[in-house]
PDB file of all heavy atoms in Angstrom:
ATOM      1  N   ARG I1287      -0.058 -32.373  59.026  1.00 93.00           N
ATOM      2  CA  ARG I1287       0.628 -31.178  59.535  1.00 93.00           C
ATOM      3  C   ARG I1287       2.054 -31.434  60.029  1.00 93.00           C
ATOM      4  O   ARG I1287       2.691 -30.517  60.549  1.00 93.00           O
ATOM      5  CB  ARG I1287      -0.193 -30.524  60.664  1.00 93.00           C
ATOM      6  CG  ARG I1287      -1.505 -29.929  60.199  1.00 93.00           C
ATOM      7  CD  ARG I1287      -2.229 -29.230  61.334  1.00 93.00           C
ATOM      8  NE  ARG I1287      -2.817 -30.182  62.266  1.00 93.00           N
ATOM      9  CZ  ARG I1287      -3.463 -29.847  63.368  1.00 93.00           C
ATOM     10  NH1 ARG I1287      -3.588 -28.569  63.701  1.00 93.00           N
ATOM     11  NH2 ARG I1287      -3.984 -30.764  64.161  1.00 93.00           N
ATOM     12  N   TRP I1288       2.548 -32.642  59.835  1.00 96.00           N
ATOM     13  CA  TRP I1288       3.875 -32.919  60.384  1.00 96.00           C
ATOM     14  C   TRP I1288       4.959 -32.123  59.677  1.00 96.00           C
ATOM     15  O   TRP I1288       5.909 -31.647  60.320  1.00 96.00           O
ATOM     16  CB  TRP I1288       4.191 -34.415  60.278  1.00 96.00           C
ATOM     17  CG  TRP I1288       5.493 -34.754  60.941  1.00 96.00           C
ATOM     18  CD1 TRP I1288       5.732 -34.874  62.290  1.00 96.00           C
ATOM     19  CD2 TRP I1288       6.752 -34.989  60.294  1.00 96.00           C
ATOM     20  NE1 TRP I1288       7.056 -35.180  62.520  1.00 96.00           N
ATOM     21  CE2 TRP I1288       7.711 -35.256  61.307  1.00 96.00           C
ATOM     22  CE3 TRP I1288       7.163 -35.010  58.961  1.00 96.00           C
ATOM     23  CZ2 TRP I1288       9.052 -35.527  61.021  1.00 96.00           C
ATOM     24  CZ3 TRP I1288       8.490 -35.281  58.677  1.00 96.00           C
ATOM     25  CH2 TRP I1288       9.423 -35.531  59.709  1.00 96.00           C
ATOM     26  N   LEU I1289       4.849 -31.953  58.380  1.00 96.00           N
ATOM     27  CA  LEU I1289       5.905 -31.274  57.621  1.00 96.00           C
ATOM     28  C   LEU I1289       6.102 -29.821  58.046  1.00 96.00           C
ATOM     29  O   LEU I1289       7.147 -29.226  57.749  1.00 96.00           O
ATOM     30  CB  LEU I1289       5.597 -31.348  56.126  1.00 96.00           C
ATOM     31  CG  LEU I1289       5.801 -32.724  55.479  1.00 96.00           C
ATOM     32  CD1 LEU I1289       5.229 -32.749  54.068  1.00 96.00           C
ATOM     33  CD2 LEU I1289       7.279 -33.107  55.465  1.00 96.00           C
ATOM     34  N   ASN I1290       5.126 -29.244  58.724  1.00 96.00           N
ATOM     35  CA  ASN I1290       5.244 -27.867  59.200  1.00 96.00           C
ATOM     36  C   ASN I1290       5.664 -27.783  60.661  1.00 96.00           C
ATOM     37  O   ASN I1290       5.647 -26.703  61.253  1.00 96.00           O
ATOM     38  CB  ASN I1290       3.905 -27.132  59.022  1.00 96.00           C
ATOM     39  CG  ASN I1290       3.514 -26.988  57.568  1.00 96.00           C
ATOM     40  OD1 ASN I1290       4.367 -26.743  56.718  1.00 96.00           O
ATOM     41  ND2 ASN I1290       2.238 -27.156  57.267  1.00 96.00           N
ATOM     42  N   SER I1291       6.036 -28.902  61.249  1.00 97.00           N
ATOM     43  CA  SER I1291       6.350 -28.939  62.679  1.00 97.00           C
ATOM     44  C   SER I1291       7.840 -28.705  62.931  1.00 97.00           C
ATOM     45  O   SER I1291       8.679 -28.826  62.033  1.00 97.00           O
ATOM     46  CB  SER I1291       5.948 -30.291  63.267  1.00 97.00           C
ATOM     47  OG  SER I1291       6.775 -31.333  62.744  1.00 97.00           O
ATOM     48  N   ASP I1292       8.154 -28.385  64.186  1.00 97.00           N
ATOM     49  CA  ASP I1292       9.559 -28.259  64.586  1.00 97.00           C
ATOM     50  C   ASP I1292      10.271 -29.593  64.457  1.00 97.00           C
ATOM     51  O   ASP I1292      11.476 -29.638  64.169  1.00 97.00           O
ATOM     52  CB  ASP I1292       9.657 -27.760  66.033  1.00 97.00           C
ATOM     53  CG  ASP I1292       9.183 -26.327  66.194  1.00 97.00           C
ATOM     54  OD1 ASP I1292       9.139 -25.594  65.187  1.00 97.00           O
ATOM     55  OD2 ASP I1292       8.860 -25.946  67.333  1.00 97.00           O
ATOM     56  N   GLN I1293       9.548 -30.672  64.686  1.00 97.00           N
ATOM     57  CA  GLN I1293      10.154 -31.998  64.585  1.00 97.00           C
ATOM     58  C   GLN I1293      10.566 -32.297  63.141  1.00 97.00           C
ATOM     59  O   GLN I1293      11.635 -32.870  62.905  1.00 97.00           O
ATOM     60  CB  GLN I1293       9.180 -33.062  65.103  1.00 97.00           C
ATOM     61  CG  GLN I1293       8.975 -33.041  66.615  1.00 97.00           C
ATOM     62  CD  GLN I1293       8.126 -31.866  67.098  1.00 97.00           C
ATOM     63  OE1 GLN I1293       7.445 -31.196  66.309  1.00 97.00           O
ATOM     64  NE2 GLN I1293       8.142 -31.623  68.396  1.00 97.00           N
ATOM     65  N   ALA I1294       9.744 -31.901  62.189  1.00 97.00           N
ATOM     66  CA  ALA I1294      10.107 -32.085  60.784  1.00 97.00           C
ATOM     67  C   ALA I1294      11.341 -31.254  60.438  1.00 97.00           C
ATOM     68  O   ALA I1294      12.215 -31.704  59.684  1.00 97.00           O
ATOM     69  CB  ALA I1294       8.936 -31.703  59.878  1.00 97.00           C
ATOM     70  N   ALA I1295      11.423 -30.048  60.988  1.00 97.00           N
ATOM     71  CA  ALA I1295      12.603 -29.204  60.752  1.00 97.00           C
ATOM     72  C   ALA I1295      13.859 -29.862  61.318  1.00 97.00           C
ATOM     73  O   ALA I1295      14.943 -29.784  60.719  1.00 97.00           O
ATOM     74  CB  ALA I1295      12.393 -27.832  61.377  1.00 97.00           C
ATOM     75  N   PHE I1296      13.718 -30.537  62.456  1.00 98.00           N
ATOM     76  CA  PHE I1296      14.858 -31.229  63.065  1.00 98.00           C
ATOM     77  C   PHE I1296      15.359 -32.341  62.155  1.00 98.00           C
ATOM     78  O   PHE I1296      16.554 -32.422  61.842  1.00 98.00           O
ATOM     79  CB  PHE I1296      14.441 -31.802  64.423  1.00 98.00           C
ATOM     80  CG  PHE I1296      15.513 -32.611  65.108  1.00 98.00           C
ATOM     81  CD1 PHE I1296      16.440 -31.991  65.927  1.00 98.00           C
ATOM     82  CD2 PHE I1296      15.589 -33.986  64.939  1.00 98.00           C
ATOM     83  CE1 PHE I1296      17.443 -32.738  66.567  1.00 98.00           C
ATOM     84  CE2 PHE I1296      16.567 -34.737  65.566  1.00 98.00           C
ATOM     85  CZ  PHE I1296      17.505 -34.112  66.379  1.00 98.00           C
ATOM     86  N   PHE I1297      14.465 -33.207  61.707  1.00 97.00           N
ATOM     87  CA  PHE I1297      14.888 -34.335  60.881  1.00 97.00           C
ATOM     88  C   PHE I1297      15.227 -33.899  59.456  1.00 97.00           C
ATOM     89  O   PHE I1297      16.036 -34.541  58.786  1.00 97.00           O
ATOM     90  CB  PHE I1297      13.820 -35.425  60.874  1.00 97.00           C
ATOM     91  CG  PHE I1297      13.698 -36.136  62.197  1.00 97.00           C
ATOM     92  CD1 PHE I1297      12.664 -35.846  63.063  1.00 97.00           C
ATOM     93  CD2 PHE I1297      14.638 -37.080  62.575  1.00 97.00           C
ATOM     94  CE1 PHE I1297      12.568 -36.495  64.294  1.00 97.00           C
ATOM     95  CE2 PHE I1297      14.551 -37.726  63.794  1.00 97.00           C
ATOM     96  CZ  PHE I1297      13.512 -37.431  64.667  1.00 97.00           C
ATOM     97  N   GLY I1298      14.620 -32.809  59.002  1.00 97.00           N
ATOM     98  CA  GLY I1298      14.882 -32.328  57.654  1.00 97.00           C
ATOM     99  C   GLY I1298      16.112 -31.453  57.547  1.00 97.00           C
ATOM    100  O   GLY I1298      16.415 -30.932  56.476  1.00 97.00           O
TER     101      GLY I1298
END
Side-chain angles (χ1 to χ4, degrees):
R1287 293 183 286 177
W1288 185 77
L1289 287 170
N1290 296 321
S1291 68
D1292 292 340
Q1293 289 73 15
F1296 176 88
F1297 290 103

